[in-house]
Amino acid sequence: MAVRTHSRNLELACRISPDTPQYIKGDPTRLRQVITNLLGNAIKFTEKGEIVLMVLPTGKEISSQSPQYLQFSVRDTGIGIPAEKLSTIFEKFTQADSSITRKYAGTGLGLAISRQLVELMGGKIWVESKPQEGSTFFFTIPLEETTPEEKPETAVAEPEISLQGWKILVVDDNTTNRLILRETLTQWGCKVTEAAGGAEGLAELIRAKSEGTPFQIAILDSRMPEMDGFTLAQEIRNNPDLSFLSIVMLTSENRSSDLARAKDMNFEAYLIKPVKRQALKESLQAIAGKKRVPLQQQTPSAGKPLPEIHPLNILLVEDTEDNRFLILAYLKNTPYRVDTAENGAVALEKFLANIYDLILMDMQMPVMDGYTATREIRRHEQNEGRKSTPIIALTAYALKEELQKSLSAGCDAHLTKPIKKQLLLEAIQKYAAASIVPGKSS
């Protein structure tokens, strides 16, 4: 989601209330699907501004016997929804109006599936919105606190380094990001000062030093108007009075050139937004404990290595632009050539006109769904004596009956959305690349 959001120059933030329990019992797969669907819609219908995911526990209902709930909300600054459409927005393929359908390609089954999944978890979902101002989608799930699974004790457990009393300056032009960082850092005992821009931040650093109460750490947003985080960091490094300051850079883009600059400028940490609380805490504790965290450890893991990858022709069938974008991003640095189709009917036309090594098939689509398209493909293969093309079903459902339904239609495998990159690449390797002789792929 961060990749998609940042490619549209939007801010993506996650605010978790300090009183939210660290461990709860629930269905992580369904919860992940709902959050992914809501964030995907928010990204699609927001052209500027921000998208904020918030989590907080809610009080007990009127009956004292009712459980507490955990409330999630996804707020955007997008186009909003007319009041007369709010009551039907969770129905299949509902769209606010025809012009939105043309421009944004519909919401598909995302909201309908989200409602079903939330209700299966024992919660409810609703939306508040104003046209041209934005929307906030809320949903709740029952809150049942639990404890983490027992883990083997390590030989020696290092004591946690306290951040109590550390003076930290947060420089970010986004109000929501500053609020989230202030709440988090204050919870850890830090003394926090905010600045809304690079020039203001530099002035705060100089003022605090002249008053004899210097900051120990500066957390900088890399992307700000007028003076960005790297320019501010250079000003800090060029000022002898501020040379002692530890710098943590937050960035929306995981670019190797920026990472190289961060290393050259001797930053203590370089974190990708939205920043995980644990990653931030560990970076600050490393600074407080006078340890240095290698910058590459703070960027997303590359995952375990895959076997040798051979060129493949792949047909991606998916009606949702966000999902197509994500899967294409996953396959960007592979030797795969990917064609796309927005529904089963278009997919069938492309299948008849080309030869593919593998098909990635969304199962819930308008016009012609994936089940029908798969059955038609299998029928044509049988009639024409063509070799069976591996088809991997992509579905928002994680239920056993959905797996069986996909297999019965003729699919070879079943992946549940949101699709994980490593699982997708492994599935492609298993069902297509293993049967391809190097140099023989069409």
Side-chain angles (χ1 to χ4, degrees):
M1 284 299 163
V3 173
R4 177 67 172 162
T5 307
H6 299 148
S7 72
R8 294 169 61 90
N9 292 318
L10 301 171
E11 284 283 350
L12 177 62
C14 178
R15 182 185 179 192
I16 300 176
S17 173
D19 53 352
T20 301
Q22 186 173 5
Y23 299 99
I24 65 170
K25 185 178 294 186
D27 187 330
T29 300
R30 288 174 176 169
L31 180 59
R32 188 181 300 112
Q33 289 173 2
V34 175
I35 293 174
T36 299
N37 284 346
L38 296 182
L39 286 173
N41 270 346
I43 295 168
K44 180 188 296 184
F45 294 108
T46 304
E47 296 185 344
K48 61 180 180 178
E50 65 182 14
I51 296 165
V52 181
L53 168 65
M54 184 169 181
V55 185
L56 75 162
T58 62
K60 291 186 177 181
E61 302 293 338
I62 297 176
S63 170
S64 60
Q65 303 300 318
S66 299
Q68 285 187 314
Y69 287 83
L70 199 60
Q71 178 177 293
F72 297 78
S73 64
V74 175
R75 175 178 62 81
D76 65 58
T77 54
I79 61 175
I81 304 167
E84 64 272 15
K85 298 293 183 179
L86 293 177
S87 61
T88 60
I89 198 67
F90 293 101
E91 296 178 4
K92 293 183 179 179
F93 303 117
T94 293
Q95 188 58 269
D97 61 45
S98 59
S99 64
I100 292 175
T101 301
R102 290 192 298 270
K103 184 173 182 180
Y104 296 99
T107 60
L109 283 169
L111 293 179
I113 291 172
S114 295
R115 180 178 67 178
Q116 185 175 0
L117 292 174
V118 168
E119 291 174 352
L120 285 172
M121 289 188 286
K124 60 181 181 179
I125 187 169
W126 69 99
V127 61
E128 297 175 359
S129 183
K130 290 184 178 180
Q132 308 309 318
E133 292 186 17
S135 304
T136 303
F137 284 83
F138 301 87
F139 73 92
T140 59
I141 60 172
L143 171 57
E144 184 179 351
E145 291 190 51
T146 186
T147 55
E149 296 180 2
E150 292 186 4
K151 298 180 180 179
E153 293 185 3
T154 54
V156 180
E158 291 188 12
E160 184 165 290
I161 298 170
S162 174
L163 297 173
Q164 187 72 35
W166 275 69
K167 285 198 65 179
I168 299 179
L169 176 67
V170 174
V171 186
D172 196 316
D173 62 308
N174 184 277
T175 303
T176 303
N177 288 339
R178 294 200 307 274
L179 170 62
I180 293 169
L181 285 170
R182 184 180 71 240
E183 285 183 342
T184 301
L185 295 170
T186 301
Q187 187 179 6
W188 297 336
C190 304
K191 297 179 180 179
V192 183
T193 300
E194 300 175 39
E200 181 183 341
L202 186 60
E204 282 288 346
L205 291 170
I206 294 172
R207 179 194 59 77
K209 180 65 170 65
S210 66
E211 293 177 354
T213 56
F215 291 97
Q216 294 152 303
I217 300 173
I219 300 177
L220 313 180
D221 178 30
S222 67
R223 188 174 64 181
M224 295 183 289
E226 298 180 9
M227 181 187 290
D228 64 22
F230 282 100
T231 303
L232 173 57
Q234 192 62 61
E235 291 288 338
I236 293 170
R237 292 293 186 239
N238 291 340
N239 189 327
D241 291 336
L242 302 177
S243 59
F244 59 88
L245 188 70
S246 296
I247 297 177
V248 175
M249 182 67 75
L250 309 183
T251 178
S252 299
E253 299 171 309
N254 184 23
R255 296 188 299 191
S256 57
S257 58
D258 284 352
L259 178 57
R261 290 178 69 190
K263 289 180 177 179
D264 290 341
M265 298 179 73
N266 204 29
F267 294 167
E268 274 63 30
Y270 177 85
L271 306 177
I272 309 300
K273 298 165 70 175
V275 178
K276 293 183 178 180
R277 289 163 59 98
Q278 189 60 30
L280 176 62
K281 188 174 185 179
E282 289 175 358
S283 295
L284 298 181
Q285 287 177 328
I287 295 169
K290 298 189 182 302
K291 299 176 183 177
R292 294 302 302 269
V293 182
L295 291 177
Q296 59 269 24
Q297 294 182 9
Q298 301 305 312
T299 57
S301 171
K304 60 183 180 181
L306 288 166
E308 182 183 357
I309 298 177
H310 301 298
L312 295 172
N313 291 330
I314 296 175
L315 176 60
L316 169 61
V317 190
E318 170 64 67
D319 68 310
T320 306
E321 181 186 358
D322 289 338
N323 291 336
R324 290 198 302 269
F325 180 93
L326 180 64
I327 293 173
L328 289 173
Y330 285 168
L331 303 180
K332 183 177 180 180
N333 294 320
T334 68
Y336 303 150
R337 187 181 70 81
V338 185
D339 283 347
T340 61
E342 63 271 21
N343 60 58
V346 175
L348 188 57
E349 291 178 5
K350 292 197 173 187
F351 171 78
L352 295 176
N354 300 279
I355 296 177
Y356 295 103
D357 299 309
L358 179 133
I359 300 173
L360 300 172
M361 180 75 74
D362 180 27
M363 306 312 288
Q364 293 87 22
M365 296 180 291
V367 185
M368 179 187 288
D369 63 26
Y371 303 105
T372 304
T374 299
R375 284 191 290 266
E376 286 296 309
I377 287 172
R378 295 303 185 216
R379 185 176 66 82
H380 280 284
E381 288 175 335
Q382 186 174 12
N383 291 343
E384 298 176 12
R386 289 176 59 172
K387 180 181 177 181
S388 179
T389 305
I391 300 178
I392 299 177
L394 311 178
T395 175
Y397 291 102
L399 307 175
K400 289 183 178 179
E401 50 266 36
E402 291 299 322
L403 168 60
Q404 187 56 52
K405 188 176 178 182
S406 301
L407 297 178
S408 298
C411 295
D412 298 273
H414 176 108
L415 294 179
T416 303
K417 299 176 183 178
I419 306 298
K420 296 292 186 66
K421 180 178 181 179
Q422 191 73 19
L423 290 177
L424 175 65
L425 295 177
E426 288 174 353
I428 292 173
Q429 287 284 310
K430 179 178 180 180
Y431 290 96
S435 63
I436 298 296
V437 178
K440 295 295 184 182
S441 179
S442 299

